[in-house]
Amino acid sequence: MSNVQTKPLLQVDHLSIGFSQYVKGTQKRIIHPIADMHVEINEGEIVAVVGASGSGKSLLAHAVLGILPSNAIFSGKMLYRGEELTPARMEKLRGREISFIPQSVNYLDPLMRVGRQVQIGLDPRTARAQQEKLFLQYGLQKNDGRLFPFELSGGMLRRVLFATSVREGVRLVIADEPTPGIHPQALSEILRQLKQFAEDGAGVMLITHDIISALEIADRVAVIKDGATVEISEASAFEGNGERLKTEYTQRLWRALPQNDFDLEFKREAVR
Amino acid sequence: MPLIGENLGHYYQKDRWIIKDTNLSVAPGEVLGLSGYSGCGKTTLSRILAGYISPRIGRVSIGHKTLERRAFRPVQLIYQHPEKAINPKWRMRDVLIESYTPSQDILDAFEIREEWMNRWPVELSGGEKQRFCIVRSLNPATKYIIADEMTTMLDAITQARIWHAFLGICKSRNIGVIVVSHESSLLNRLCDNIYKVGSGG
């Protein structure tokens, strides 16, 4: 919600990320999946980041956290609470002030019981009770904590991943696709929690394809295409046929939802 | 010859039944939706139908014949997480042609670019990897395809395009499709019938 004190929490400006690849032997080349990305998140604000798959949304998250692969080269400006985000600072902040919900359930340790994984970073005296409370909150059973990741379904693993992000003192939450594969009830619990983060004054970056769910809680929506920010709009602009959206790409994205026209895209193609 | 699951029941831990007394059938060319809670057994049911696990009780058959082991599986399963279904140490080209060599038309239909072929799986996004998984499931001998949350990691435009291409091919080859998803609006768009898994949880 647009609070009275809207201080920018995270500012990303002209971010560009390249990867050096070996082509043949020692020949290198550089590819640039992210060319010009900018995003700003205020305290207490939820910004949804949507866009084509492969457009670099996850890379944006990884850049802010400082967990890009070692062959990445990046330039641009990233400010967190008005100060530059240096690699040393990122390392200090991530997992503490900046919490991250990764996209792939592969990020869980396959050899550790899921309950233990959620307890990491919690106060050891109360960790267990807190973890059980979180499980209950997200509709997981108490004895699910004894299971290993392979014994849980995709949607349950999502909720475990989400539970790992709920910590005291979190100021910025970066959620990379936290919602696919979970049923509506668990989904609304996750949305509620994200909103709770924002109400407690944290900024939330919600990377997602599920525009409909994101709109329930987001204040603004940043649209990414081919590694650049093409549009930042108020969430309220996503309505009707998308007349209030600024770019053609965003309008198409909006209309292609199954809730909207879905096959409009092909009707046009069929005519061509 | 419809794909039929009769009286299926399965658990991983003794007596914690995930699915029980489940009956369903899909005809060639039919599109059946599977919906239900996360953790209710949709993926388990998919894996049983595809022959990856044998159910504790019940049987799966195509035209009254049970599925043959050690042969090409006429029921192909497309997983929810493509990164878990692809050998991380193979280049994408090898992943693609392991089962058969797809024609350029199919590659174009799913917008698979030549430049992706020499990359490693980690160098592609989830959505890009999923396209390879879809194409490799379309072996000429495939009779049924189970799409388990196939497009949840895709943006809306790509999702619409991929379903259009995918169902187009399936209809033309008379392949029966099971669509597993939570998104009821998507199921309503795609499916002839919808089956709810695990009544009550």
Side-chain angles (χ1 to χ4, degrees):
Chain A
M1 296 286 106
S2 24
N3 286 348
V4 197
Q5 30 34 308
T6 44
K7 270 189 278 174
L9 182 70
L10 177 75
Q11 291 160 280
V12 176
D13 243 334
H14 296 296
L15 178 70
S16 127
I17 300 175
F19 290 101
S20 65
Q21 287 182 325
Y22 285 99
V23 191
K24 250 186 215 161
T26 56
Q27 265 182 51
K28 270 193 187 183
R29 77 166 170 196
I30 294 180
I31 52 167
H32 275 279
I34 292 195
D36 179 16
M37 211 182 272
H38 48 97
V39 167
E40 192 180 293
I41 300 174
N42 295 324
E43 288 177 0
E45 187 186 41
I46 302 177
V47 176
V49 177
V50 303
S53 76
S55 65
K57 300 188 297 293
S58 296
L59 285 177
L60 167 69
H62 290 201
V64 173
L65 290 153
I67 55 170
L68 289 170
S70 57
N71 64 338
I73 309 153
F74 82 102
S75 66
K77 209 166 70 175
M78 289 195 283
L79 299 181
Y80 174 74
R81 304 181 75 203
E83 271 176 73
E84 201 186 333
L85 259 180
T86 57
R89 207 157 157 245
M90 288 173 188
E91 204 182 319
K92 231 163 91 189
L93 291 169
R94 66 175 178 239
R96 295 179 182 87
E97 276 187 36
I98 302 182
S99 112
F100 177 51
I101 305 155
Q103 178 181 29
S104 169
V105 293
N106 270 4
Y107 282 73
L108 288 168
D109 185 338
L111 298 179
M112 194 192 275
R113 297 182 196 279
V114 291
R116 290 271 308 137
Q117 304 198 41
V118 173
Q119 289 167 26
I120 294 171
L122 293 171
D123 181 342
R125 281 164 301 179
T126 58
R128 187 161 180 147
Q130 246 179 300
Q131 171 251 314
E132 282 171 1
K133 202 178 122 217
L134 286 168
F135 269 34
L136 197 71
Q137 202 177 337
Y138 298 124
L140 296 164
Q141 279 163 23
K142 199 172 169 184
N143 49 1
D144 288 341
R146 307 243 336 126
L147 300 176
F148 289 99
F150 78 94
E151 297 176 294
L152 295 172
S153 81
M156 291 160 97
L157 290 174
R158 289 270 166 219
R159 288 179 267 159
V160 171
L161 269 181
F162 195 84
T164 63
S165 74
V166 183
R167 295 287 179 273
E168 291 277 309
V170 167
R171 284 208 152 110
L172 174 65
V173 180
I174 299 179
D176 191 358
E177 300 262 11
T179 57
I182 53 176
H183 58 86
Q185 214 176 320
L187 172 67
S188 60
E189 182 54 40
I190 284 191
L191 295 177
R192 202 194 59 74
Q193 179 65 53
L194 287 172
K195 200 164 168 84
Q196 187 62 48
F197 280 130
E199 275 166 10
D200 295 341
V204 177
M205 182 196 288
L206 171 59
I207 298 172
T208 188
H209 289 305
D210 186 353
I211 302 179
I212 298 284
S213 304
L215 288 176
E216 282 178 33
I217 56 166
D219 301 296
R220 289 185 298 147
V221 179
V223 183
I224 311 288
K225 185 179 180 245
D226 298 333
T229 307
V230 292
E231 170 167 353
I232 298 179
S233 281
E234 295 292 321
S236 59
F238 287 80
E239 50 152 33
N241 284 324
E243 296 88 351
R244 286 172 57 209
L245 297 168
K246 292 170 217 155
T247 57
E248 198 230 334
Y249 176 73
T250 313
Q251 290 175 355
R252 275 175 49 211
L253 190 66
W254 173 242
R255 285 205 299 258
L257 289 173
Q259 287 86 344
N260 297 340
D261 284 325
F262 193 54
D263 20 38
L264 189 86
E265 189 89 358
F266 319 119
K267 282 183 197 140
R268 198 191 303 158
E269 253 168 45
V271 174
R272 243 196 278 160
Chain B
M1 290 189 294
L3 169 68
I4 297 176
E6 286 165 285
N7 227 346
L8 300 173
H10 195 72
Y11 57 77
Y12 293 102
Q13 286 170 341
K14 197 152 177 53
D15 294 331
R16 246 180 106 173
W17 290 91
I18 292 177
I19 52 171
K20 220 175 171 180
D21 305 327
T22 303
N23 293 289
L24 83 170
S25 87
V26 198
E30 185 190 345
V31 182
L32 175 74
L34 286 189
S35 73
Y37 284 81
S38 77
C40 75
K42 296 190 298 298
T43 300
T44 300
L45 183 57
S46 305
R47 298 185 59 185
I48 290 173
L49 291 172
Y52 282 97
I53 43 181
S54 22
R56 305 275 168 179
I57 51 170
R59 69 174 212 144
V60 177
S61 59
I62 297 180
H64 304 296
K65 272 192 279 190
T66 47
L67 300 175
E68 258 178 84
R69 307 195 71 86
R70 302 192 172 279
F72 179 79
R73 299 293 171 105
V75 185
Q76 290 283 307
L77 177 58
I78 299 171
Y79 272 93
Q80 188 173 355
H81 308 290
E83 68 274 18
K84 287 175 174 250
I86 288 179
N87 187 333
K89 297 200 164 179
W90 282 15
R91 289 190 191 267
M92 293 314 295
R93 183 186 309 282
D94 301 324
V95 171
L96 187 70
I97 61 173
E98 186 189 9
S99 160
Y100 74 114
T101 308
S103 70
Q104 191 59 39
D105 288 346
I106 295 187
L107 298 183
D108 291 342
F110 292 98
E111 296 169 49
I112 290 178
R113 296 190 211 148
E114 179 58 34
E115 60 185 270
W116 295 347
M117 295 294 183
N118 285 326
R119 294 204 197 161
W120 302 104
V122 287
E123 294 172 328
L124 293 178
S125 77
E128 287 161 1
K129 280 196 276 265
Q130 190 67 301
R131 295 168 211 224
F132 284 84
C133 292
I134 297 171
V135 169
R136 73 178 175 177
S137 74
L138 287 166
N139 186 299
T142 301
K143 297 278 183 292
Y144 292 92
I145 295 181
I146 304 173
D148 185 0
E149 300 278 4
M150 183 172 86
T151 54
T152 38
M153 75 295 290
L154 299 174
D155 63 275
I157 295 176
T158 317
Q159 167 169 278
R161 271 200 196 137
I162 283 196
W163 277 112
H164 180 72
F166 178 69
L167 289 183
I169 293 171
C170 291
K171 285 264 175 307
S172 73
R173 295 196 200 163
N174 215 17
I175 294 175
V177 179
I178 297 180
V179 184
V180 182
S181 176
H182 286 103
E183 241 193 282
S184 49
S185 49
L186 181 70
L187 290 179
N188 292 337
R189 283 275 178 194
L190 301 172
C191 303
D192 305 321
N193 295 303
I194 294 174
Y195 179 88
K196 259 190 114 57
V197 182
S199 40

